């Protein structure tokens, strides 16, 4: 969704703002803008489309400014035109916004009556005029005091979600913000202060960050930061250091972030395991995993809430957690869970899984579970994110920054963390004995090198993509844990290449989807040698008998499967326990190479955003 950045300090150039916005591109956007304030006034430049369009206008901005804001807009109200791009100006106020102002219609009617002219179709312009209106109405105090008071009055009138970047021409060395529901971090360096929608935008300038919480107003000056609650009470919170580096956010020689991130599966898994498993004792380090404070022994059930790829990682983990910890696990789409009457209590652990830690549906789902008395755990990739703050405990997936909109290495890390939660439950509840625990720990430690081996399939999958990229529709099937893998493979294919794809539990084929099978239908069949192998082979036979084309994924030495399939992807031998980590890799590569062959925007597929902070 939209990206917000802001700067106040000795001086920043137009390139500073553009580069910081580039670091937020992954969030998804369709227009952008920058405002820079100097003693000669404010200059605003905006452009429809990609940042390269805005880059063409950089020479129209001042060479340097002590205060400035920038924005990438993902259109919600009004088309992605230059006119609707942020920032918006009202008198001395220049404002940009991430989020949605739900009551903008009522506010707009009131402001129109008062004579404000609207130049855009956005909900955001309402906030600019409203702030101007309240500021103008205050007659006593310095301009900064009036701005603070006006902001307090405005935030109380707004319904919805917001993280603002605001400058006022009458306070030329101050930057303001307020947050409710949309992500916002502030950073501090020597004589400089920053705000942004995510730490990736600022890592090359500072590592000292503070996550702004809902209901807070922030006033930034050069190297000086003040936070207060919406009702004006000062808030003091320490900054924390983030160890992400600039190199982690570059393509590192790969053609796309997505390809780099697929190649980082092994690292993401290894880092998520590190410090959490003790090989000699075969035990799980609960404190390092972040679950040490939870009453694991007395829990009666587990619910997991998530969206998209995170939901598939959660669905996969259900098989594992139930088998090792002997506890019922329900997995829900967060967008559904938040509206259904759930029946949690203090013996229920509700786990929110989210790469970004900001997904609006997941956040609301976990908040409602916590309000209903459940124990809550966040499995997130971004340290200090909103979902982490909303939970009793936080277990980080250590995939590092994921820039490609399609989630790949984060999926591998989520699976790792969730499997570890399963082992932690099994250890505390004594549903596995020492030898069994040690077996799993030993198997987990092997995953990174097996995945590494699988990545060697990239070239052959690229060749395969040449035969599949022209298809208009594809099915994916799998049984048991390979069903969520199939779902993940089909989601990746459709979001990247815009090819229609659907995934089914293979046993469901005969209940309907088999009607789709003829010589024009190709089916990706996940058929590794696991407990379901024979049954999946029967499904493959059924597809073949109806003329369907088979692309099978199975162990590299499986001659029988190879014989049955039209195309075959051979994965390395491994134990059944860790198979999903391995079978996912060729599916991520398959979706990637098909998208490349089709020439779609791999890292930023159309209509998608990395961080879905609206409902
Ligand atoms: O940040 P989250 O993990 O909460 O995001 C959830 C989904 O929006 C995300 O996984 C989405 O489905 C991706 N585009 C999948 O590649």
């Amino acid at each position: 969704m939209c990206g917000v950045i802001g700067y106040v300090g000795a001086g920043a150039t137009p390139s500073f703002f553009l580069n910081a916005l580039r670091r937020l591109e992954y969030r998804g956007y369709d227009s952008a803008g920058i405002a820079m304030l100097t003693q000669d006034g404010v200059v605003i430049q905006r452009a429809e489309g990609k940042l390269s369009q805005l880059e063409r206008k950089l020479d129209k901005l001042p060479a340097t400014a002590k205060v400035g804001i920038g924005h990438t807009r993902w259109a919600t109200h009004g088309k992605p035109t230059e006119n609707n791009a942020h920032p918006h100006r009202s008198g001395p106020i220049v404002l940009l916004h991430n989020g949605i102002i739900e009551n903008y219609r009522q506010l707009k009617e009131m402001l129109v009556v008062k004579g404000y002219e609207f130049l855009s179709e956005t909900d955001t312009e309402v906030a600019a005029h409203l702030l101007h209106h309240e500021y103008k109405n205050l007659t006593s105090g310095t301009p900064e005091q009036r701005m603070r008071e006006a902001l307090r009055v405005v935030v109380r009138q707004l319904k919805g979600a917001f993280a603002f970047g605001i400058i006022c021409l009458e306070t030329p060395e101050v930057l303001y913000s307020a947050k409710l529901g949309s992500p916002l971090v502030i950073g501090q360096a020597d004589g400089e202060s920053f705000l942004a929608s995510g730490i990736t935008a600022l890592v090359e300038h500072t590592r000292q960050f503070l996550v702004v919480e809902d209901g807070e107003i922030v006033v930034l000056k050069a190297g000086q930061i003040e936070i207060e609650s919406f009702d004006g009470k000062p808030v003091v919170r320490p900054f924390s250091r983030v160890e992400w580096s600039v190199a982690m956010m570059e393509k590192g020689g790969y053609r796309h972030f997505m390809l780099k991130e697929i190649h980082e599966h092994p690292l993401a898994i290894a880092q998520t395991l590190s410090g959490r498993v003790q090989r000699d004792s075969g035990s799980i380090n609960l404190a390092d995993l972040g679950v040490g404070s939870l009453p694991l022994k007395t829990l009666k059930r587990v619910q997991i809430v998530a969206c998209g790829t995170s939901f598939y990682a959660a669905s996969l983990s259900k098989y594992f957690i139930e088998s090792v910890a002997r506890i019922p696990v329900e997995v829900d789409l967060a967008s559904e869970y938040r509206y259904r009457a759930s029946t949690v209590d203090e013996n229920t652990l509700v786990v929110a899984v989210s790469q970004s830690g900001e997904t609006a549906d997941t956040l609301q789902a976990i908040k409602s579970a916590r309000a209903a008395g459940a124990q809550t755990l966040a499995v997130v990739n971004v340290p200090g994110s909103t979902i982490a703050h909303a939970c009793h405990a936080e277990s980080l997936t250590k995939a590092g920054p994921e820039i490609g909109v399609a989630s790949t290495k984060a999926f591998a890390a989520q699976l790792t963390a969730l499997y570890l939660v399963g082992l932690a439950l099994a250890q505390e509840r004594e549903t596995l004995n020492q030898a069994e625990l040690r077996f799993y720990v030993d198997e987990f430690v092997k995953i990174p090198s097996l995945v590494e081996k699988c990545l060697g399939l990239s070239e052959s999958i690229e060749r395969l993509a040449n035969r599949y990229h022209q298809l208009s529709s594809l099915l994916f099937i799998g049984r048991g844990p390979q069903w969520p893998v199939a779902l993940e493979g089909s989601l990746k294919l459709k979001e990247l290449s815009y090819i229609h794809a659907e995934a089914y539990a293979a046993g469901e084929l005969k209940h309907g989807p088999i009607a789709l099978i003829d010589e024009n239908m190709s089916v990706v069949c996940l058929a590794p040698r696991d407990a379901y192998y024979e049954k999946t082979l029967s499904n493959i036979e059924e597809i073949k008998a109806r003329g369907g084309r088979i692309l099978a994924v199975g162990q590299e030495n499986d001659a029988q499967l190879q014989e049955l399939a039209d195309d075959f992807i051979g994965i390395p031998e491994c134990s059944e326990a860790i198979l999903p980590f391995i079978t996912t890799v060729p599916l991520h590569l398959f979706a990637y190479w098909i998208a490349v062959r089709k020439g779609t925007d791999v890292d930023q597929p159309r209509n998608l955003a990395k961080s879905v902070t609206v409902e």
Side-chain angles (χ1 to χ4, degrees):
M1 301 282 133
C2 306
V4 170
I5 52 143
Y7 171 88
V8 52
T13 62
S15 307
F16 161 84
F17 293 100
L18 190 77
N19 290 341
L21 290 178
R22 281 205 203 289
R23 298 266 184 230
L24 294 176
E25 272 190 301
Y26 70 92
R27 298 174 64 82
Y29 71 104
D30 35 41
S31 57
I34 295 172
M36 292 172 71
L37 180 62
T38 68
Q39 54 202 23
D40 300 325
V42 69
V43 184
I44 302 174
Q45 287 299 328
R46 304 179 297 175
E48 186 181 328
K50 293 286 173 189
L51 284 172
S52 51
Q53 303 298 324
L54 185 63
E55 191 173 13
R56 295 205 181 108
K57 299 183 169 181
L58 285 198
D59 56 359
K60 297 194 176 116
L61 286 163
T64 174
K66 288 188 173 171
V67 181
I69 49 181
H71 190 259
T72 47
R73 172 173 185 254
W74 193 83
T76 56
H77 295 67
K79 294 198 176 86
T81 58
E82 180 178 337
N83 224 26
N84 288 333
H86 306 197
H88 295 284
R89 181 170 177 184
S90 181
I93 308 294
V94 182
L95 174 149
L96 49 79
H97 161 229
N98 173 22
I100 288 182
I101 296 167
E102 289 167 3
N103 57 336
Y104 80 100
R105 278 200 193 85
Q106 299 93 296
L107 292 169
K108 190 170 177 174
E109 277 166 23
M110 180 271 284
L111 288 160
V112 167
V113 170
K114 292 194 184 301
Y116 287 89
E117 190 192 355
F118 281 78
L119 303 176
S120 77
E121 303 157 296
T122 63
D123 51 336
T124 300
E125 199 182 351
V126 163
H129 288 315
L130 189 61
L131 185 57
H132 177 199
H133 180 66
E134 298 298 349
Y135 176 72
K136 209 170 61 180
N137 281 349
L138 294 165
T139 46
S140 63
T142 64
E144 184 186 326
Q145 286 166 338
R146 286 162 53 214
M147 266 301 284
R148 286 174 182 244
E149 181 53 28
L151 247 180
R152 279 177 219 130
V153 175
V154 165
V155 291
R156 284 200 289 270
Q157 295 178 61
L158 300 179
K159 292 205 173 75
F162 48 82
F164 293 116
I166 306 166
I167 50 187
C168 172
L169 272 65
E170 290 167 11
T171 60
E173 300 197 341
V174 193
L175 178 63
Y176 306 86
S177 186
K179 172 194 151 50
L180 188 73
S182 299
L184 186 71
V185 295
I186 50 183
Q188 199 170 30
D190 217 9
E192 296 181 304
S193 305
F194 311 88
L195 59 83
S197 297
I199 53 183
T200 45
L202 303 175
V203 161
E204 59 202 276
H205 305 287
T206 179
R207 300 278 166 82
Q208 301 295 332
F209 289 99
L210 192 153
V211 179
V212 182
E213 294 193 355
D214 281 349
E216 291 180 346
I217 290 174
V218 188
V219 179
L220 307 175
K221 298 179 187 162
Q224 190 193 324
I225 286 168
E226 283 176 71
I227 308 177
E228 59 178 49
S229 60
F230 281 0
D231 52 11
K233 295 198 185 73
V235 175
V236 182
R237 251 199 330 275
F239 277 71
S240 44
R241 193 177 159 79
V242 170
E243 296 305 339
W244 289 6
S245 69
V246 175
M248 287 163 98
M249 296 178 312
E250 307 283 0
K251 284 189 196 151
Y254 287 92
R255 192 161 156 192
H256 295 104
F257 280 112
M258 183 181 175
L259 188 60
K260 175 183 173 239
E261 288 160 3
I262 294 174
H263 280 82
E264 286 173 349
H265 273 229
L267 188 65
I269 296 165
Q271 284 177 170
T272 306
L273 284 173
S274 175
R276 292 159 172 188
V277 289
Q278 269 139 17
R279 287 193 77 181
D280 22 334
S281 57
S283 62
I284 306 300
N285 183 340
L286 302 183
D288 225 276
L289 187 59
V291 297
S293 60
L294 295 170
L296 302 181
K297 271 194 180 121
T298 52
L299 292 174
K300 297 269 186 296
R301 62 185 176 139
V302 176
Q303 292 184 336
I304 316 183
V305 292
C307 303
T309 283
S310 301
F311 174 74
Y312 299 140
S315 306
L316 244 165
S317 72
K318 168 184 165 80
Y319 293 85
F320 184 75
I321 301 173
E322 286 187 337
S323 78
V324 295
R326 311 304 303 145
I327 186 167
V329 179
E330 295 160 58
V331 183
D332 274 83
L333 286 168
S335 53
E336 291 293 317
Y337 184 93
R338 62 185 286 191
Y339 293 114
R340 90 174 157 83
S342 82
T343 51
V344 297
D345 58 19
E346 72 280 9
N347 295 318
T348 313
L349 173 65
V350 183
V351 185
V353 185
S354 173
Q355 186 287 130
S356 61
E358 303 294 345
T359 302
D361 284 323
T362 312
L363 178 62
Q364 285 314 319
I366 201 72
K367 278 187 175 170
S368 69
R370 186 168 183 169
Q375 304 293 327
T376 53
L377 170 68
V379 173
V380 294
N381 195 44
V382 178
S385 51
T386 313
I387 290 176
H389 274 266
C391 291
H392 293 103
E394 171 187 3
S395 187
L396 263 189
T397 55
K398 300 185 182 171
E402 190 178 64
I403 311 293
V405 165
S407 193
T408 52
K409 64 172 178 173
F411 173 86
Q414 286 169 339
L415 210 51
T416 311
L418 289 166
Y419 272 43
L420 286 177
V421 170
L423 285 192
L425 283 162
Q427 177 177 294
E428 291 307 286
R429 301 161 73 83
E430 297 177 19
T431 50
L432 291 180
N433 63 34
Q434 204 54 48
E436 288 165 330
L437 265 171
R438 184 169 293 120
F439 164 79
Y440 284 113
V441 168
D442 284 347
E443 287 306 304
F444 283 15
V445 173
K446 290 179 200 159
I447 303 172
S449 61
L450 284 161
V451 170
E452 193 79 61
K453 206 169 164 203
C454 234
L455 290 167
L457 294 166
S458 188
E459 268 182 37
S460 58
I461 293 175
E462 182 182 1
R463 285 194 294 278
L464 207 58
N466 291 334
R467 298 209 286 283
Y468 283 80
H469 77 280
Q470 278 169 329
L471 295 179
S472 56
S473 185
L474 211 68
L475 291 184
F476 288 69
I477 60 161
R479 276 177 183 260
Q482 297 304 322
W483 172 34
V485 174
L487 285 160
E488 166 62 5
S490 96
L491 175 67
K492 280 288 122 38
L493 186 70
K494 68 187 124 192
E495 68 179 337
L496 289 166
S497 67
Y498 319 144
I499 292 176
H500 171 250
E502 282 192 66
Y504 285 97
E508 272 296 293
L509 267 190
K510 58 187 169 299
H511 298 290
I514 200 161
L516 292 169
I517 307 287
D518 61 15
E519 55 289 348
N520 297 316
M521 181 59 82
S522 289
V523 187
V524 179
C525 303
L526 291 151
R529 275 195 225 93
D530 57 12
Y532 312 84
Y533 178 66
E534 296 299 339
K535 301 227 174 287
T536 312
L537 283 195
S538 303
N539 295 125
I540 294 177
E541 295 280 12
E542 286 160 11
I543 297 166
K544 268 191 87 82
R546 286 157 182 83
R549 192 180 169 85
I550 308 288
L551 165 54
V553 179
Q555 273 89 358
E556 57 201 0
N557 60 3
D558 188 341
Q560 187 186 1
L561 184 62
Q562 210 159 343
E563 180 70 31
L564 268 179
D566 298 283
D567 290 304
F568 178 72
I569 298 175
I571 56 161
E573 280 293 337
C574 66
S575 79
E576 189 169 341
I578 59 171
L579 260 172
F581 289 88
I582 316 300
T583 47
T584 309
V585 178
L587 298 195
H588 281 175
L589 286 167
F590 183 65
Y592 171 78
W593 284 118
I594 290 199
V596 169
R597 188 71 179 74
K598 286 198 74 176
T600 56
D601 190 346
V602 173
D603 284 332
Q604 288 163 40
R606 67 185 182 200
N607 306 336
L608 292 179
K610 183 72 182 162
S611 181
V612 185
T613 51
V614 294
E615 192 179 349

